[in-house]
Amino acid sequence: MEDIIYRFRLEGSPLTCEPYGCGHINHTFLVRTDTGRRYILQMLNGGVFPDPEGLMENVIAITRHIAKKCDDPRGSLRLNPTVEGGLYAEDEDGSIWRLYDYVEGSICLQAPETPEDFYQSAVAFGTFQRQLADFPAETLHETIPNFHNTPDRYRLFRRALAADVCGRAKDVGPEIGFVLAREEEAGALQRMRESGELPTRVTHNDTKLNNVMLDEKTRKPLCVIDLDTVMPGLAAYDFGDSIRFGAATAAEDEKDLDRMEMDLAAFETYTRGFLKACPDLTRRERETLSLGAKLMTLECGVRFLTDYLAGDVYFSIHRPEHNLDRARTQFKLVADMEKKWDAMNAVVARLSAETA
Ligand code: ADP
Ligand code: GN1
Ligand code: MG
């Protein structure tokens, strides 16, 4: 049992506390008590989040803002107080811990089981963005500076490549070539953000399918979780990262690249749900949705490859070449999106016209 659990006010006495979920960043545990209550206990990854107190201020404010707009208590993550009355606890090593209610009666998917599941995840993330449209964005802490600043991700990639601390660069020549060949295009969204061409919104920035909870019976959205990267951003980031993960025909770490493609039908399904939930996207924002899909996928691949070169210091890995396998699937997806580029844009244009 993690001792830290006793710092929180629980209903009942804790019986079990076990590692839980498939996140790559935080340490997540499922806690059960003798009354049958379940909680999610999380230790924030201090190496990833430089300002955990600022992050928790964000999470507290965002969950309160969303809870006010929902009738169902499961419509927002709910933090539980510590015995001292705070909403997070610091352990003797300086790590920050928090305790959420377990979202009961929910499912969390690693891949859509039906097109409808993926559609509902689009509604969930689109609704999340809309619920935060009146949130004061300037009060948010930037929990990871330059999170989706793709040129900055290239800068970090080049730095890891030059340092090559594990001597791995020699084995990944084709992957390095793939990244460098796309550097100019990779900066497109960042340039549009800086020029003011695209509005800044409060975005989630990590819109993987396993960061949304669906009702296990109705399979409709309950809430969006993993709020650590909620920051000002672009609609294309959230749309794009969902496509990267959920419109892929194989898992993020699939070794057989022949199985990895971007499913155009799934792309259409997600686009329909996202546009329905976020009808006020500007024309220019809609025009950049496909670009968001391609660049979020490329950026994620660059990040996995950077971490592979740096010795696997950021993402949790479960086998030696895990980050390299992940980078390769992302590059395969990007290449497939390049082939399907005109079709992707045609889907967005058609659905935009229908919802205008
Ligand atoms: P990470 O940042 O490491 O991805 P998450 O906050 O996404 O951490 O949590 C990891 C996993 O734990 C989620 O994908 C989900 O399966 C599960 N999880 C997290 N919070 C809850 C919750 N409140 N109720 C039920 N399951 C949860
Ligand atoms: C991480 O925390 P998790 O597992 O939901 C990462 C995302 C990546 C994703 C790739 C804070 O998401 O940016 O896209 O892995 N989160 C952080 O699967 O870096
Ligand atoms: Mg997560």
Side-chain angles (χ1 to χ4, degrees):
M1 185 73 70
E2 301 290 326
D3 286 345
I4 197 85
I5 191 64
Y6 298 103
R7 299 270 300 277
F8 290 90
R9 281 187 217 161
L10 297 172
E11 185 192 286
S13 303
L15 288 180
T16 57
C17 176
E18 285 154 0
Y20 191 73
C22 299
H24 295 340
I25 301 295
N26 294 314
H27 295 286
T28 303
F29 302 86
L30 173 65
V31 175
R32 291 168 203 271
T33 74
D34 57 3
T35 67
R37 266 296 283 269
R38 299 198 289 178
Y39 298 92
I40 289 286
L41 175 69
Q42 268 185 335
M43 186 186 94
L44 279 175
N45 185 327
V48 166
F49 300 110
D51 173 18
E53 280 95 359
L55 182 156
M56 286 308 297
E57 268 183 40
N58 284 1
V59 172
I60 292 165
I62 292 158
T63 50
R64 279 192 183 140
H65 188 90
I66 294 178
K68 274 194 236 144
K69 300 188 175 195
C70 301
D71 296 329
D72 188 335
R74 299 172 303 168
S76 173
L77 277 176
R78 284 176 184 263
L79 287 161
N80 285 278
T82 62
V83 286
E84 296 97 10
L87 288 173
Y88 58 91
E90 187 174 344
D91 69 15
E92 58 277 14
D93 301 323
S95 295
I96 299 290
W97 294 77
R98 64 190 171 200
L99 187 74
Y100 287 121
D101 280 351
Y102 186 90
V103 182
E104 293 293 349
S106 68
I107 50 168
C108 175
L109 300 171
Q110 302 308 320
E113 287 171 9
T114 63
E116 180 66 15
D117 288 342
F118 197 39
Y119 177 85
Q120 294 301 341
S121 76
V123 172
F125 284 120
T127 304
F128 179 83
Q129 199 170 107
R130 223 186 44 226
Q131 286 169 327
L132 291 173
D134 59 347
F135 186 93
E138 67 287 353
T139 62
L140 285 174
H141 299 267
E142 207 179 344
T143 54
I144 302 183
N146 294 313
F147 192 60
H148 284 314
N149 178 342
T150 316
D152 199 61
R153 295 293 184 181
Y154 266 75
R155 181 182 66 79
L156 298 173
F157 167 71
R158 284 182 180 279
R159 198 169 74 181
L161 180 58
D164 194 19
V165 289
C166 300
R168 294 175 171 176
K170 63 180 182 334
D171 306 322
V172 291
E175 288 77 13
I176 294 169
F178 189 95
V179 169
L180 295 179
R182 286 157 181 80
E183 186 159 13
E184 166 63 22
E185 187 187 11
L189 275 178
Q190 182 64 22
R191 287 192 290 273
M192 288 184 223
R193 186 172 175 184
E194 284 166 10
S195 73
E197 213 176 314
L198 293 171
T200 301
R201 299 181 180 271
V202 176
T203 49
H204 183 280
N205 298 307
D206 185 5
T207 51
K208 294 202 288 200
L209 186 66
N210 64 14
N211 286 332
V212 63
M213 310 303 283
L214 301 179
D215 185 296
E216 70 182 355
K217 293 210 183 79
T218 65
R219 294 183 93 98
K220 295 259 164 57
L222 287 173
C223 64
V224 164
I225 62 168
D226 203 347
L227 306 176
D228 304 329
T229 53
V230 176
M231 286 180 277
L234 301 179
Y237 298 161
D238 280 3
F239 176 86
D241 198 50
S242 289
I243 298 299
R244 173 190 82 71
F245 192 82
T249 54
E252 190 180 69
D253 58 357
E254 172 64 51
K255 279 169 172 289
D256 179 0
L257 293 180
D258 289 340
R259 298 186 57 196
M260 189 49 135
E261 282 180 30
M262 204 278 305
D263 179 345
L264 197 58
F267 179 83
E268 172 157 354
T269 299
Y270 193 92
T271 308
R272 183 173 280 121
F274 196 75
L275 290 179
K276 175 141 199 262
C278 280
D280 62 337
L281 294 184
T282 66
R283 187 175 56 82
R284 197 75 190 107
E285 281 182 298
R286 288 161 189 251
E287 285 167 0
T288 56
L289 293 180
S290 300
L291 185 64
K294 186 161 52 161
L295 295 194
M296 288 302 101
T297 310
L298 176 61
E299 180 188 277
C300 197
V302 170
R303 292 174 63 200
F304 287 141
L305 189 58
T306 302
D307 201 33
Y308 180 68
L309 292 171
D312 308 306
V313 292
Y314 186 95
F315 296 103
S316 300
I317 58 160
H318 308 293
R319 55 178 188 253
E321 296 197 337
H322 211 163
N323 272 318
L324 179 57
D325 293 339
R326 290 169 175 154
R328 285 179 171 150
T329 61
Q330 302 308 292
F331 300 150
K332 175 70 197 298
L333 266 180
V334 171
D336 195 47
M337 289 184 201
E338 287 171 352
K339 283 190 207 143
K340 295 174 176 158
W341 191 237
D342 291 343
M344 288 166 70
N345 282 313
V347 164
V348 176
R350 176 163 48 79
L351 295 180
S352 279
E354 280 174 22
T355 55

